[in-house]
Amino acid sequence: LLLLDGAQAAQEPSPAPAQEVHEEMVVTADRGPEPRDDVAASVSVLTREQIEKLPAQDLSELLEFLPGFHAYFRESFGGPPPIITSRGFFGGGEAEYVQLRIDGVPVQDVESGIVDWRRIRAADIERIEALRGPASSLYGDTALAGVIQIFTRGAPAAGSAASVSASGGSYGTAAADLSYGFARNAFQGRASGTYFRTDGYREHNAEERGILNFTSSGAAAGSVMRL
């Protein structure tokens, strides 16, 4: 019986080796691109694919899906501007301790660091990198609690692409986003527009705004010009 069991075990095929999966994630936590696994800082990333699946219309709502960050008054139906807190740093609406950068450029008020987190629509964001913890040695005094870096959507690699979205809700709240991008040889461009309105949840709280964005780039003589 022992010999028979040994013969049957020898005939059974050995299990296939586990398949190794390698995914490279490049972030800019140290002001220069490098693999995420090599960064000592605490970094979170939201890709375009993840953003499209989240119930969020603007950046203030997307922050709730980044570990370590919380936004007060982030509702899209009126109210005061959102206030961001991270790891115990809270400015109370008078100062901001989380720096916001769009395509590498800081966009906050020079003195207080305050920024309108609702102004950046989710439809215009390609990628979000969130650096948690003190980063003032690299990004200045407005980065005491961290840095939120936004990379905006660009033109498609080839051909053209368009998108349209609309939403509505309570308190007369409505929004619409549309974009169109194209690539022709060495020239690329993308245009996007947003309209938003709400009556607000209290008196004297109505809000209406429209935003237009246009970017273009062209390559010639070995250089790239971007507008």
Side-chain angles (χ1 to χ4, degrees), residues 148-224:
I148 300 292
Q149 178 130 239
I150 304 298
F151 296 93
T152 57
R153 300 182 68 183
S160 60
S163 64
V164 178
S165 65
S167 62
S170 304
Y171 309 106
T173 303
D177 299 281
L178 58 94
S179 67
Y180 175 76
F182 62 91
R184 299 288 187 275
N185 299 324
F187 184 76
Q188 297 178 333
R190 182 177 183 271
S192 65
T194 291
Y195 173 77
F196 172 83
R197 72 166 308 278
T198 182
D199 294 331
Y201 63 90
R202 61 184 182 182
E203 293 184 359
H204 312 295
N205 198 212
E207 182 180 353
E208 184 177 23
R209 65 175 179 265
I211 301 173
L212 291 175
N213 294 309
F214 177 76
T215 59
S216 64
S217 63
S223 61
V224 176

Side-chain angles (χ1 to χ4, degrees), residues 63 68-70 72 82-101 108-115 117 131-137 139-148:
L63 290 179
F69 295 91
H70 179 69
Y72 296 97
I83 301 175
I84 307 302
T85 178
S86 175
R87 295 194 167 186
F89 288 90
F90 180 61
E94 297 182 0
E96 199 76 82
Y97 296 114
V98 178
Q99 185 179 119
L100 175 64
R101 303 174 76 90
Q108 293 151 301
D109 180 81
V110 176
E111 295 183 357
S112 64
I114 293 177
V115 64
W117 298 90
L131 172 61
R132 295 186 299 277
S136 296
S137 60
Y139 294 98
D141 59 354
T142 57
L144 288 172
V147 177
I148 300 292

